[in-house]
Amino acid sequence: MCTEPHPAARDAAERFLAANPGDPTTYPTISALEDEAVEALGEMTGLENPHGYIASGGTEANIQAVRAARNLAEVEAPNVVAPISAHFSFQKAADVLGVELRLAEVDSNRRADPDAVNELIDDDTVLVVGIAGTTEYGRVDPIPTLSEIAHDAGALLHVDAAWGGFVLPFTDYEWNFDHAAVDTMGIDPHKMGQAAVPAGGFLAREKRVLDALAVETPYLESTSQATLTGTRSGAGVASAWAAMDELWPAGYREQYERSQANAEWIADAFESCGYDVVDPVLPLVAADVPRKTVESLQSRGWRVSPTGSGELRIVCMPHVTRSMLESFAADLESL
Amino acid sequence: MCTEPHPAARDAAERFLAANPGDPTTYPTISALEDEAVEALGEMTGLENPHGYIASGGTEANIQAVRAARNLAEVEAPNVVAPISAHFSFQKAADVLGVELRLAEVDSNRRADPDAVNELIDDDTVLVVGIAGTTEYGRVDPIPTLSEIAHDAGALLHVDAAWGGFVLPFTDYEWNFDHAAVDTMGIDPHKMGQAAVPAGGFLAREKRVLDALAVETPYLESTSQATLTGTRSGAGVASAWAAMDELWPAGYREQYERSQANAEWIADAFESCGYDVVDPVLPLVAADVPRKTVESLQSRGWRVSPTGSGELRIVCMPHVTRSMLESFAADLESL
């Protein structure tokens, strides 16, 4: 789910390789760019006054969402309820933060099932997770319903839009801060946003969420730090800013349309070879291709990674071109 | 404590801006460079078969050391004992991981006091921390003694050499895996190592430490991930490798000698202006300059950050030149 950075993003990354947004007083320029990048992410996700920062990636955003919810709730044995389609970083968050992760079944369309989520919730639930563009099948959970369920239980709602966040603005899905009472969100410029790694995004509707993450920083001029890491990548921040400045919204819309068309094209190619395909509602295709065929493709140099259930999975990232897919489809047909 | 990356490190960073060492099967080249970088860090720290990885920085290394110790110990209410000179990232680690941080007084020379550490240890102590080059005064704790104390208590010993690790090999201090029974260490190529941000190092003597951090990664070809973040910076890894390939050991020795001479020079300059100076045992000077004078210097454009006790602090990083210090000293004298 990484891609070649946009030339403007690459250029910005190279100019800020030595800057540390973790120390805003010493590096005011990169700090100002970070503020602008967060504003841009807010605009993209329907949040007028976003609180947040450019994180190392989706894993950090997920860990921070769980951490903030845990810190704000102050219950003895906190738990988090997420669909089984959630990224494995929630397992990491659970281990790191000492919270229990409860995984709810998904419906027949691979989206979070609100009833299944509801059944796992109890008084110790501090956070409910919805995914806007699942890692394996590109599914968008019913975010408005999940937000109601979460708030009825006194929990926060976190939306993991790490991969989907840069394509969803061009779809009809209800997934963002404006569509529902979302509390926090992860959205990664370094995935479909075409920034250089590491450039994730962590957003919160309310300032108290960031406050719940802050620790004091005695020897820096700034007095507290809400990020998970300390020193952070100026290159990542600058390239996130530059990519959004260049591409939002027209460039991202164009990229979405190209990626979505590619996904539908390769889905058709799988089907005409006789394989079952999970309908690509976002630019991500999973097809039920036997392991042996996958291995033959890999031995021809194709780098494909499987889903947990073993399907062959193609993410139509910006660097994935139609001619690349044509060449892949030709190899697939020949097997 | 960041610096301009070495040209070789910058070049390598630019070449690997789009690679993700978090997915080693998809990106085998950067993964191989990471293995070599970890080997080089092992050589630098007296560890023949190092287990570890290139982290986002010292904060991640400290969090991971505490996390591994907590996970291996499996006690109900784990605590960590560190000197009060420990970096604030241990506060962050304590909050994130739900462990108690106990801070021990330092001796008159600002080094960890083994008796004070010993007094805070109990059956629930999972980790003792020693600092090899403190953030504020560049002090090196008595690592061999601390390792004995830790192991007598059934705890692990972590050495935070984030800043000091690239200068200590050229001193007589006992600080590394070969000098003492050190279990884990943080050592940052992106500080005195002249790599681009983000390039920290987390090292462990035993494989079980990394195993205690691993979570499963269902959709990646590799099967587990011991890092704190998910997607990681190929630029950071490549530039760490390139910097060490270029500079270890001769280039780093030269840099240490230049930085140390600069530190002693500016320490003398402070003294001749009548200010008390904390003797720079490593290339880091703290001087008791009144806040008003510091503000005057800042208003002239000098970016100086204070210690927790308010001393003016100058870290003689590679980009800090003698002529820069001469100009600073001239401004200081004129006030």
Side-chain angles (χ1 to χ4, degrees):
Chain A
M1 290 185 157
C2 293
T3 197
E4 188 56 37
H6 186 277
R10 173 178 283 278
D11 184 54
E14 292 177 2
R15 273 184 292 131
F16 286 89
L17 270 176
N20 172 17
D23 186 0
T25 314
T26 310
Y27 300 95
T29 309
I30 196 69
S31 185
L33 287 183
E34 181 164 24
D35 292 344
E36 288 188 36
V38 170
E39 282 299 319
L41 287 174
E43 197 182 317
M44 214 170 283
T45 61
L47 187 58
E48 216 166 298
N49 293 302
H51 302 278
Y53 68 93
I54 300 301
S56 60
T59 294
E60 176 172 347
N62 290 338
I63 292 175
Q64 292 282 74
V66 177
R67 182 180 165 214
R70 181 200 67 177
N71 287 4
L72 287 167
E74 290 185 358
V75 301
E76 274 293 309
N79 70 68
V80 169
V81 179
I84 50 166
S85 52
H87 187 258
F88 68 81
S89 52
F90 287 98
Q91 299 283 5
K92 196 184 277 190
D95 174 63
V96 167
L97 299 162
V99 307
E100 182 194 351
L101 179 62
R102 299 180 176 179
L103 294 177
E105 286 303 318
V106 291
D107 66 18
S108 59
N109 197 19
R110 298 180 169 79
R111 302 170 78 205
D113 175 349
D115 291 336
V117 168
N118 223 348
E119 259 173 48
L120 295 179
I121 287 179
D122 63 19
D123 287 350
D124 291 338
T125 301
V126 300
L127 186 73
V128 173
V129 175
I131 320 290
T134 59
T135 308
E136 300 204 315
Y137 303 106
R139 261 47 194 168
V140 183
D141 290 336
I143 303 300
T145 311
L146 292 177
S147 74
E148 283 168 28
I149 292 174
H151 293 157
D152 283 351
L156 299 185
L157 182 80
H158 175 65
V159 171
D160 180 354
W163 176 72
F166 279 80
V167 293
L168 284 163
F170 313 107
T171 69
D172 293 330
Y173 283 107
E174 293 190 304
W175 65 286
N176 73 22
F177 288 98
D178 190 40
H179 303 139
V182 173
D183 294 293
T184 56
M185 183 181 286
I187 171 171
D188 284 2
H190 72 202
K191 292 192 171 85
M192 292 300 288
Q194 300 178 52
V197 174
F202 177 66
L203 299 177
R205 187 186 293 273
E206 294 179 64
K207 185 171 170 293
R208 69 183 182 117
V209 168
L210 278 201
D211 289 346
L213 298 169
V215 296
E216 285 180 25
T217 56
Y219 74 94
L220 299 178
E221 288 286 293
S222 48
T223 55
S224 83
Q225 189 174 85
T227 57
L228 186 61
T229 64
T231 297
R232 292 188 293 132
S233 167
V237 168
S239 81
W241 174 84
M244 292 188 281
D245 187 57
E246 182 80 18
L247 296 170
W248 170 257
Y252 288 133
R253 176 186 292 277
E254 230 174 84
Q255 182 56 54
Y256 160 70
E257 286 166 358
R258 198 181 305 126
S259 291
Q260 186 62 30
N262 280 340
E264 287 164 17
W265 187 90
I266 192 72
D268 288 347
F270 278 121
E271 276 179 345
S272 51
C273 288
Y275 300 115
D276 283 345
V277 173
V278 181
D279 185 36
V281 298
L282 291 181
L284 197 169
V285 183
D288 201 2
V289 175
R291 184 75 209 169
K292 234 180 127 169
T293 308
V294 173
E295 279 163 12
S296 301
L297 288 163
Q298 286 172 330
S299 73
R300 292 188 186 196
W302 293 105
R303 297 222 181 118
V304 282
S305 65
T307 66
S309 334
E311 287 120 336
L312 191 159
R313 176 172 154 272
I314 293 180
V315 190
C316 293
M317 298 300 293
H319 66 275
V320 175
T321 62
R322 181 64 61 92
S323 71
M324 207 185 273
L325 292 173
E326 283 169 353
S327 162
F328 179 82
D331 273 7
L332 182 72
E333 268 171 53
S334 76
L335 289 172
Chain B
M1 289 183 159
C2 293
T3 197
E4 188 56 37
H6 186 277
R10 173 178 282 279
D11 184 55
E14 291 178 2
R15 274 184 292 131
F16 286 90
L17 270 177
N20 172 17
D23 186 0
T25 314
T26 309
Y27 299 96
T29 309
I30 196 70
S31 185
L33 286 183
E34 181 164 24
D35 291 344
E36 288 188 37
V38 170
E39 281 301 318
L41 287 174
E43 197 182 315
M44 215 169 282
T45 60
L47 186 59
E48 217 166 297
N49 293 300
H51 302 279
Y53 68 92
I54 301 301
S56 60
T59 294
E60 177 172 346
N62 290 339
I63 292 175
Q64 293 282 73
V66 177
R67 182 179 165 213
R70 180 200 67 177
N71 287 5
L72 287 167
E74 289 184 359
V75 300
E76 274 293 308
N79 70 68
V80 169
V81 179
I84 50 166
S85 52
H87 187 259
F88 68 81
S89 53
F90 287 99
Q91 299 283 7
K92 196 184 278 190
D95 173 63
V96 167
L97 299 163
V99 306
E100 182 194 350
L101 179 63
R102 299 180 176 180
L103 294 176
E105 287 302 319
V106 291
D107 65 17
S108 59
N109 197 19
R110 297 180 171 78
R111 302 170 77 204
D113 175 349
D115 290 336
V117 167
N118 222 349
E119 260 174 46
L120 295 179
I121 286 178
D122 63 20
D123 288 349
D124 291 337
T125 301
V126 299
L127 186 73
V128 173
V129 175
I131 320 290
T134 59
T135 307
E136 300 205 315
Y137 304 105
R139 261 46 196 169
V140 183
D141 291 335
I143 304 299
T145 311
L146 291 177
S147 75
E148 283 168 28
I149 291 174
H151 293 157
D152 283 351
L156 299 185
L157 181 82
H158 175 65
V159 171
D160 181 354
W163 176 72
F166 279 79
V167 294
L168 284 163
F170 313 107
T171 69
D172 293 330
Y173 282 107
E174 293 189 305
W175 64 286
N176 74 20
F177 288 99
D178 189 41
H179 303 139
V182 173
D183 294 293
T184 56
M185 183 181 287
I187 170 172
D188 283 4
H190 71 204
K191 292 192 171 85
M192 292 300 287
Q194 299 177 52
V197 173
F202 176 67
L203 299 177
R205 187 187 293 274
E206 294 180 64
K207 185 171 171 296
R208 71 183 181 115
V209 168
L210 278 201
D211 289 345
L213 298 169
V215 296
E216 285 180 26
T217 56
Y219 74 95
L220 299 178
E221 288 287 292
S222 49
T223 56
S224 84
Q225 189 174 86
T227 56
L228 186 61
T229 64
T231 297
R232 292 188 291 132
S233 167
V237 168
S239 81
W241 174 84
M244 291 188 282
D245 187 57
E246 182 80 17
L247 296 170
W248 170 257
Y252 288 132
R253 176 185 293 277
E254 230 173 85
Q255 181 56 54
Y256 160 70
E257 286 166 356
R258 196 181 307 127
S259 291
Q260 186 61 33
N262 279 341
E264 287 163 16
W265 186 90
I266 192 71
D268 288 348
F270 278 121
E271 276 178 346
S272 52
C273 287
Y275 299 116
D276 282 345
V277 173
V278 181
D279 184 34
V281 297
L282 291 182
L284 198 169
V285 184
D288 202 0
V289 175
R291 184 75 209 171
K292 235 181 128 169
T293 309
V294 172
E295 279 163 13
S296 302
L297 288 163
Q298 286 172 329
S299 73
R300 291 188 186 197
W302 293 105
R303 297 222 181 118
V304 283
S305 65
T307 66
S309 334
E311 287 121 335
L312 191 159
R313 175 172 155 270
I314 293 180
V315 190
C316 293
M317 297 300 293
H319 66 274
V320 175
T321 61
R322 180 66 60 94
S323 71
M324 207 184 274
L325 293 173
E326 283 168 354
S327 162
F328 178 82
D331 272 6
L332 183 72
E333 267 171 56
S334 75
L335 289 171

